């Protein structure tokens, strides 16, 4: 039993090291499209939004916005993965937990981005200040 536990622990930490080495590639190739395209589809329901070629920039009739790596939240996904892989649990529970963590963060992040796109599009006063406050305070809470 002790050997099996140590083998699983070693495998999890080796996986974390591998993810750390390729984090930016994983984020840019997997998480960015998972965030970008649903946002584009939702915006296309309300406006004539389109994606600018070869960029993570969406153009609406009143606004041009780019999803920079900080908007995607790659480091948050990595930290959630670290939390999951360093916590002892069964494989099945770990998989469910990881899917829940990543899925819920993806949905919450897309809601946040959509909210700010709408606020910036309507030129609501203090939107930039609100954006910075959520960047500094809400991201810590999440």
């Amino acid at each position: 039993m002790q050997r099996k536990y140590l083998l699983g622990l070693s495998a999890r930490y080796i996986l974390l090291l591998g993810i750390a080495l390729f984090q930016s590639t994983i984020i840019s190739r997997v998480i960015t499209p998972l965030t970008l395209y649903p946002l584009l589809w939702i915006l296309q329901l309300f406006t004539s939004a389109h994606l600018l070629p070869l960029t993570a920039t969406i153009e609406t009739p009143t606004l041009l916005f780019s999803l920079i790596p900080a908007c995607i939240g790659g480091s948050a996904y990595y930290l959630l993965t670290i939390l999951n892989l360093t916590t002892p649990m069964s494989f099945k529970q770990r998989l469910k937990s990881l899917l829940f963590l990543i899925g819920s963060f993806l949905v919450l992040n897309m809601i946040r981005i959509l909210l700010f796109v709408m606020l910036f599009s309507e030129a609501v006063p203090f939107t930039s200040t609100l954006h910075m406050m959520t960047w500094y305070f809400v991201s810590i809470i999440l």
Side-chain angles (χ1 to χ4, degrees):
M1 185 66 171
Q2 184 71 14
R3 182 181 167 114
K4 185 178 177 182
Y5 174 77
L6 290 175
L7 186 62
L9 184 66
S10 299
R12 291 194 329 253
Y13 279 88
I14 289 170
L15 180 61
L16 276 176
L17 182 60
I19 292 171
L21 293 173
F22 301 105
Q23 176 194 3
S24 63
T25 303
I26 293 169
I27 298 302
S28 65
R29 300 235 172 130
V30 176
I31 302 296
T32 300
L34 283 175
T35 305
L36 183 63
Y37 289 108
L39 283 172
L40 178 63
W41 298 330
I42 292 168
L43 286 170
Q44 286 175 340
L45 293 173
F46 304 106
T47 184
S48 60
H50 64 277
L51 185 63
L52 296 181
L54 303 173
T55 65
T57 303
I58 296 177
E59 184 176 20
T60 67
T62 58
L63 185 67
L64 183 71
F65 67 97
S66 294
L67 291 178
I68 62 172
C71 282
I72 301 299
S75 58
Y77 287 104
Y78 183 56
L79 290 172
L80 289 170
T81 305
I82 289 171
L83 176 66
N84 179 278
L85 292 177
T86 57
T87 304
M89 63 181 86
S90 70
F91 178 77
K92 186 177 179 180
Q93 186 179 11
R94 181 176 315 286
L95 188 59
K96 287 179 181 178
S97 172
L98 195 57
L99 288 173
F100 175 77
L101 288 171
I102 290 173
S104 59
F105 185 77
L106 180 66
V107 169
L108 288 173
N109 195 33
M110 286 193 300
I111 290 170
R112 179 189 65 84
I113 294 169
L114 282 170
L115 175 70
F116 281 110
V117 167
M118 289 187 291
L119 291 174
F120 277 114
S121 294
E122 297 297 321
V124 174
F126 304 111
T127 301
S128 186
T129 303
L130 182 61
H131 180 255
M132 294 312 293
M133 287 174 59
T134 60
W135 173 252
Y136 290 120
F137 300 113
V138 176
S139 62
I140 291 169
I141 294 168
L142 281 176

